Amino acid sequence: MPRIFCPQPLASGAAFDLPPGPARHVQVLRLQPGDTITLFDGRGGEYEATVRRMGRSDVGIEVGSFDPVEREAPRTIHLALGMPANDRMDWLVEKAAELGAASIQPLMSARTVLRLSGERAEKKAAHWQAVAVAACEQCGRNRVPVVHPLLTLSDWLGQHAPAPAVRRYLLSLSEPSQPLRAEAQDEACFLSGPEGGLTPQEEEAAIAAGFQPVRLGPQILRAETAPLAALMRLLG
């Protein structure tokens, strides 16, 4: 049964026209009145729904029974990362969503190849959020990870870094970094750089903000690989 994310709150018995994005999804699948789909709104659980009407650009549905199923990871892990170039960021967001990341913070640092600002940055963030939604539709997650608006590393460390209760890790090849190990924490944030990593000055700023320098092993992983390896290790 097709799974479709609906950004508006759902409730059993409700009947309404799907928003444009989900409606296009139904039309692309060539569903017909009477067909059933699974809807989720990101608040947990999912609903069985029935297509009641197919218009040229609109789709009417009726929401049926609710299933409170949860498929979330056992721990809340946030990724803050220097954006890899080209389409590698799309791949990273997709896989992070599939594997269970709670949120993704794209960052621009000194060595970031992809430089974005203004409307271009907003469009990219919206695109990455759509990638995360599609990944959740495919993998069965009912809670979509938030892809935050793009920030510079300095702005993020100064104003938006995680609360002190969140364990903070910084990927670093410098001494005295320690091997990253899964802890019993409920929530953690992993910070990594783009191609070329973070500069020594950026690492110092992150450590001053409470990040613990860690390494993932003897190999030097790509910018799009390291956050996923850390995610899986922290999820245990």
Side-chain angles (χ1 to χ4, degrees):
M1 186 184 303
R3 299 184 74 256
I4 298 174
F5 173 70
C6 181
Q8 70 185 66
L10 299 171
S12 295
F16 57 91
D17 287 351
L18 287 173
R24 283 194 298 272
H25 193 161
V26 171
Q27 290 170 329
V28 166
L29 292 172
R30 300 184 181 276
L31 299 180
Q32 299 299 319
D35 289 341
T36 56
I37 57 177
T38 298
L39 294 179
F40 63 103
D41 59 12
R43 297 183 299 167
E46 58 193 25
Y47 294 81
E48 183 178 292
T50 303
V51 176
R52 293 304 186 195
R53 181 178 54 81
M54 292 287 292
R56 282 193 169 186
S57 60
D58 55 313
V59 176
I61 59 98
E62 181 176 343
V63 182
S65 60
F66 175 68
D67 183 350
V69 62
E70 286 287 1
R71 304 186 184 96
E72 290 303 292
R75 298 187 179 98
T76 302
I77 308 298
H78 308 280
L79 299 179
L81 46 97
M83 298 178 296
N86 303 320
D87 59 353
R88 293 178 180 177
M89 184 65 179
D90 286 20
W91 182 87
L92 174 50
V93 169
E94 178 184 75
K95 302 312 173 189
E98 289 178 9
L99 293 171
S103 73
I104 302 165
Q105 174 62 69
L107 297 171
M108 282 195 301
S109 59
R111 294 171 178 162
T112 301
V113 174
L114 184 60
R115 316 301 295 189
L116 299 170
S117 61
E119 185 177 353
R120 287 186 66 215
E122 293 175 1
K123 287 183 177 180
K124 270 295 184 183
H127 168 72
W128 291 325
Q129 187 66 73
V131 169
V133 166
C136 291
E137 290 176 336
Q138 182 274 324
C139 75
R141 286 187 71 180
N142 292 323
R143 297 181 186 271
V144 179
V146 175
V147 180
H148 294 289
L150 175 63
L151 293 173
T152 64
L153 175 62
S154 58
D155 283 347
W156 182 72
L157 289 174
Q159 302 176 38
H160 302 279
V166 178
R167 192 178 292 271
R168 307 175 185 194
Y169 299 102
L170 162 68
L171 178 62
S172 175
L173 302 179
S174 304
E175 294 297 338
S177 61
Q178 300 296 317
L180 177 63
R181 295 186 176 90
E183 305 283 350
Q185 80 282 340
D186 293 326
E187 192 168 4
C189 177
F190 181 82
L191 168 62
S192 60
E195 297 90 341
L198 301 177
T199 66
Q201 296 78 13
E202 290 171 333
E203 288 197 11
E204 290 173 5
I207 292 170
F211 282 82
Q212 172 189 347
V214 296
R215 61 180 182 271
L216 295 172
Q219 302 92 347
I220 299 176
L221 301 180
R222 291 183 178 273
E224 69 271 23
T225 307
L228 301 178
L231 175 62
M232 294 308 296
R233 192 166 300 182
L234 290 170
L235 290 176

